[in-house]
Amino acid sequence: MTAPRHIILSRTDSIGDVMLTLPMAGVLRQRFPGVRITFLGRAYTAPVLACCAHVDQVITLEELQAQADPVQVLRALQADVLIHVFPRQEVAKWARQARIPMRIGTSHRWWHWTTCDRRVSFSRRRSDLHEAQLNIKLLRPLGVEEVFSTAELAPLTGFTPPRPDATVEPLLRTDRRRVVIHPFSKGSAVEWGLDHYTQLIQCLPADRYQVLVTGTAAEAERYRDGLPLHLPHVTDTGGRLSLTQLIAMIGASDALVAASTGPLHIAAACGRRAIGLYADVRPIHPGRWAPIGPDVHALTAADVPQNADAPARVRAIRADQVVAALDADGRAGANTKSA
């Protein structure tokens, strides 16, 4: 086949999902040197995409929806290929009407049978592969048949955080190991609970650690009554940072602890120690959703009843297990269960 000159990746969902799509852009760069890559995402994920060296242009779903003729906007990009990494019916319709020559989507969405000329058949729900590996399956029509390991995909994110600015830099202590904790998930993941984060903060020696608590302004209102923010080694950054500034702070820190959220995936892509709190049950288990990076610890709890639900499994992860992951020497990469 003729090498494509311009590919659009369409993933209009959350930050974590976008982060796990970035290696796809890296694979395309390897396979088609010189290809132009445009990413169609949500407006709030644009700062994440701005950190990816493989993405040449970002257009947002909100921008297209605001246009009188979104089809003309897509047509003007003169793309050879559009890949529906996250299926969205209106985007599929626009791409067909824009007559983008190759439109790739999963065969499991009925509207792709009328809007896509290439359909790839696989099931995310029943697969044992990681989300980042599943994304690569959509490259089959472009001749990419390999199954990459997550270790092979991790260096392909092309992700570099910005440097801390005048808002972020004063928040960072240079005489302590900086650990970011992100207690909430906006409902995208099972949360550990403020009581567990309190135990973790209290377990971290104030003479060795700085704990940076993050969240939106609304989330900060929720956690300020439940966390020991008065302790001398705790810095509350909730509601004070833009997403770009949050990425910079994560990139300048040593570790991050969170459930399966966007900040966890950002930390992993920055090469920081990413400690994720997971339930070892389908479809939210770490084999599918763990962050990918050189220093990932995806924690699950052992010795929980077989019929325990996901919240009970996450809450069974102990604070001392997280401390052990923070203090571990070298690089991780495997899931870790409590004893």
Side-chain angles (χ1 to χ4, degrees), residues 177 208-209 254-255 273 275 295-297 299 320-333 336:
R177 191 173 183 212
R208 290 179 51 206
Y209 286 96
D254 298 290
R273 179 158 296 186
I275 300 176
D295 198 0
V296 167
H297 298 245
L299 306 185
D320 64 337
Q321 182 187 354
V322 179
V323 173
L326 284 169
D327 289 341
D329 293 330
R331 301 288 183 175
T336 306

Side-chain angles (χ1 to χ4, degrees), residues 63-255:
E63 289 171 343
L64 288 179
Q65 290 172 330
Q67 295 292 323
D69 189 358
V71 173
Q72 179 56 36
V73 175
L74 288 179
R75 185 180 294 127
L77 293 174
Q78 297 184 320
D80 306 292
V81 181
L82 188 147
I83 304 173
H84 298 285
V85 190
F86 178 76
R88 193 176 186 97
Q89 189 173 2
E90 61 184 328
V91 175
K93 180 180 177 181
W94 294 336
R96 177 180 62 80
Q97 293 175 338
R99 298 181 181 177
I100 295 173
M102 183 182 291
R103 304 176 303 279
I104 303 171
T106 174
S107 64
H108 291 262
R109 300 290 177 165
W110 68 263
W111 63 82
H112 284 170
W113 288 87
T114 60
T115 58
C116 293
D117 64 330
R118 304 288 196 284
R119 290 173 294 275
V120 183
S121 179
F122 64 94
S123 171
R124 291 182 186 267
R125 182 179 296 274
R126 292 190 293 270
S127 177
D128 292 325
L129 293 177
H130 190 277
E131 181 72 4
Q133 295 174 302
L134 290 168
N135 291 337
I136 303 300
K137 286 182 174 290
L138 288 167
L139 301 183
R140 284 179 189 164
L142 294 172
V144 179
E145 299 285 349
E146 301 97 305
V147 177
F148 293 82
S149 69
T150 54
E152 290 172 323
L153 292 175
L156 299 180
T157 60
F159 194 85
T160 303
R163 294 179 62 85
D165 62 12
T167 297
V168 174
E169 192 165 8
L171 299 174
L172 303 172
R173 294 191 60 171
T174 59
D175 61 341
R176 298 288 189 275
R177 191 173 183 212
R178 297 179 289 274
V179 178
V180 178
I181 67 170
H182 190 74
F184 295 126
S185 68
K186 293 185 178 179
S188 66
V190 179
E191 295 169 357
W192 198 29
L194 294 182
D195 55 339
H196 286 79
Y197 282 107
T198 294
Q199 293 174 25
L200 174 62
I201 291 170
Q202 293 171 339
C203 286
L204 297 178
D207 61 345
R208 290 179 51 206
Y209 286 96
Q210 178 190 18
V211 177
L212 298 139
V213 186
T214 69
T216 65
E219 289 171 336
E221 289 299 316
R222 292 174 58 198
Y223 70 60
R224 282 182 180 138
D225 290 335
L227 294 178
L229 302 179
H230 64 282
L231 294 178
H233 64 308
V234 179
T235 302
D236 179 12
T237 73
R240 300 170 61 182
L241 304 177
S242 67
L243 180 53
T244 298
Q245 291 169 329
L246 175 62
I247 296 169
M249 187 178 77
I250 292 171
S253 297
D254 298 290

Side-chain angles (χ1 to χ4, degrees), residues 270-291:
C270 290
R272 303 301 175 254
R273 179 158 296 186
I275 300 176
L277 310 170
Y278 286 85
D280 197 14
V281 294
R282 290 178 178 272
I284 59 174
H285 60 101
R288 171 74 184 278
W289 291 106

